[in-house]
Amino acid sequence: MKVLGIETSCDETAAAIVDSDHNILANRVLSQLEEHEPYGGVVPEIAARSHMDHLDRLIREALDEAKLGFEDLDGIAATAGPGLIGGVFVGVMTAKAIAAARKLPFLAVNHLEGHALTARLTEGEAAAFPYLLLLVSGGHCQLLAVEDVGCYSRLGGTIDDAVGEAFDKTAKMMGLPYPGGPLMEQIAKSGDATRFDLPRPMKGRPGCDFSFSGLKTAVRKKILELAGADGAVSNLTDQDRSDLAASFQAAVGDVLIDRCAHAMDFFAARYGRPGPLVVAGGVAANLALRSRLTELTDQRQTRLLAPPVKLCTDNGVMIAWAGLERLRLGLTDSLDFAPRPRWPLDQLTGVKDRT
């Protein structure tokens, strides 16, 4: 089976093709970074127009890369939410048009399920159900038990900022250019993580919820102290920024380890083993945090499973694979499916809902 996947939920326009033998036949991603950089963040209207301008070309390039035509496909998948609704509409309507014209199944994929199932593409049997999922990105921070396609049990989530959002906002406060999250990881390598005493919100508390707002505020106070009387961020030295980034990243790592340890205890009580632990989403590309999570899974005698870095950020491969997983279970969608700006994973339906 071969499925075309379309991703337009935020500021990457992507099209990809995968097959049921776990092969990535094509992977095209166009970043909109230059278009949004002057505004310091994603502008929804600009994002949607860019998707309209480039999506058709990327689909054609994906087909050419895979040496396939529409007649060789078994299904068309598109992100149908959650996301910026203008962009989601562009991808969904394009996918519906292809499905209708070519009489192919249409698959409305939850963007978060795309992240959740990517490890099953890249890790194969190591990511057999059930597994524990840490989903960390710019908009989401959740711990979930993944029991099957469309079957997710939420163990905890953020009560304020997502971890990726906290990275980006902290970077902006420090005067780093957009997008700041990846730059934070880079400059943290030369920083002293012990210089600034930052809080570890929720650490040690029962449950699996997260909070990063207080940590972000604490960094803001340190920045004001370093900036001096005039409060200018430009007064910070490069070493100040590196030490702040390292201290912030260490605090985030401590919180993630603590929360994941609680989730692994819960998972072990329910399923008889602590993992494996799958980490997915844009923040999963942070290698320092991956290293911390690997230490935890080694201690618990289980495995950390993480997609390649290029498949952590938004891409069409994850949508194509999630679509393929749903297609082979017969979980297709009608052409009147309505895109959704919000769509929690635990509201999905899967094969277990039919038994």
Side-chain angles (χ1 to χ4, degrees):
M1 298 174 68
K2 301 178 183 66
V3 171
L4 167 68
I6 295 170
E7 159 59 23
T8 57
S9 67
C10 192
D11 60 338
E12 278 93 15
T13 312
I17 301 172
V18 303
D19 68 20
S20 50
D21 291 326
H22 296 248
N23 296 311
I24 300 173
L25 305 180
N27 183 19
R28 296 286 169 167
V29 182
L30 178 66
S31 172
Q32 300 176 7
L33 175 61
E34 292 184 1
E35 296 176 71
H36 299 288
E37 188 173 11
Y39 306 97
V42 178
V43 181
E45 292 82 0
I46 293 176
R49 289 183 179 276
S50 184
H51 293 314
M52 291 181 64
D53 290 341
H54 300 290
L55 181 56
D56 288 354
R57 172 177 60 81
L58 290 174
I59 292 172
R60 173 47 57 194
E61 289 179 356
L63 289 167
D64 290 345
E65 180 183 345
K67 297 180 173 57
L68 299 172
F70 287 119
E71 66 276 5
D72 300 308
L73 300 175
D74 296 286
I76 309 295
T79 296
L84 301 177
I85 195 62
V88 172
F89 264 110
V90 173
V92 166
M93 296 308 293
T94 301
K96 286 181 178 181
I98 297 171
R102 298 288 175 165
K103 295 181 173 55
L104 291 169
F106 166 66
L107 301 128
V109 172
N110 181 297
H111 178 84
L112 305 181
E113 185 167 46
H115 282 303
L117 298 178
T118 300
R120 288 175 51 80
L121 166 66
T122 59
E123 301 291 338
E125 287 300 316
F129 298 122
Y131 54 81
L132 180 63
L133 172 67
L134 172 63
L135 180 58
V136 277
S137 67
H140 304 278
C141 184
Q142 302 175 28
L143 278 160
L144 304 113
V146 181
E147 296 183 349
D148 207 329
V149 175
C151 187
Y152 304 89
S153 177
R154 180 185 169 104
L155 308 182
T158 182
I159 62 175
D160 41 57
D161 293 343
V163 63
E165 178 186 7
F167 264 98
D168 288 338
K169 288 183 176 179
T170 300
K172 189 172 184 178
M173 288 190 293
M174 290 167 52
L176 297 178
Y178 171 83
L183 288 175
M184 289 275 285
E185 180 187 8
Q186 182 178 337
I187 66 173
K189 295 176 182 177
S190 58
D192 177 4
T194 65
R195 178 179 170 188
F196 298 103
D197 184 18
L198 298 176
R200 272 65 173 165
M202 305 293 286
K203 183 180 177 183
R205 293 191 184 184
C208 304
D209 286 335
F210 301 86
S211 172
F212 295 102
S213 180
L215 174 58
K216 186 181 63 180
T217 300
V219 174
R220 178 61 178 165
K221 290 181 179 178
K222 298 294 183 184
I223 291 172
L224 291 175
E225 292 174 8
L226 294 168
D230 62 2
V233 178
S234 57
N235 291 338
L236 273 65
T237 67
D238 288 343
Q239 193 60 52
D240 289 335
R241 290 186 175 86
S242 293
D243 293 346
L244 274 170
S247 299
F248 176 84
Q249 186 170 262
V252 169
D254 286 348
V255 171
L256 292 180
I257 294 303
D258 180 76
R259 303 288 84 190
C260 285
H262 284 215
M264 293 171 83
D265 290 340
F266 181 89
F267 192 89
R270 177 181 288 185
Y271 302 105
R273 51 185 171 82
L277 173 64
V278 171
V279 59
V283 180
N286 184 305
L287 299 182
L289 295 180
R290 280 201 196 197
S291 178
R292 297 285 307 277
L293 292 168
T294 299
E295 292 175 7
L296 173 64
T297 53
D298 287 346
Q299 291 170 5
R300 296 299 184 97
Q301 298 183 325
T302 187
R303 291 185 61 186
L304 178 72
L305 304 178
V309 169
K310 67 179 181 180
L311 296 183
C312 290
T313 54
D314 294 349
N315 61 86
V317 170
M318 68 182 195
I319 303 306
W321 179 256
L324 195 150
E325 291 250 40
R326 298 186 73 83
L327 178 61
R328 59 188 174 189
L329 294 173
L331 300 173
T332 60
D333 296 281
S334 66
L335 294 181
D336 63 357
F337 186 96
R340 306 176 184 181
R342 297 182 182 276
W343 193 6
L345 264 181
D346 50 10
Q347 291 182 6
L348 285 183
T349 57
V351 67
K352 286 190 175 183
D353 297 289
R354 305 186 307 185
T355 60

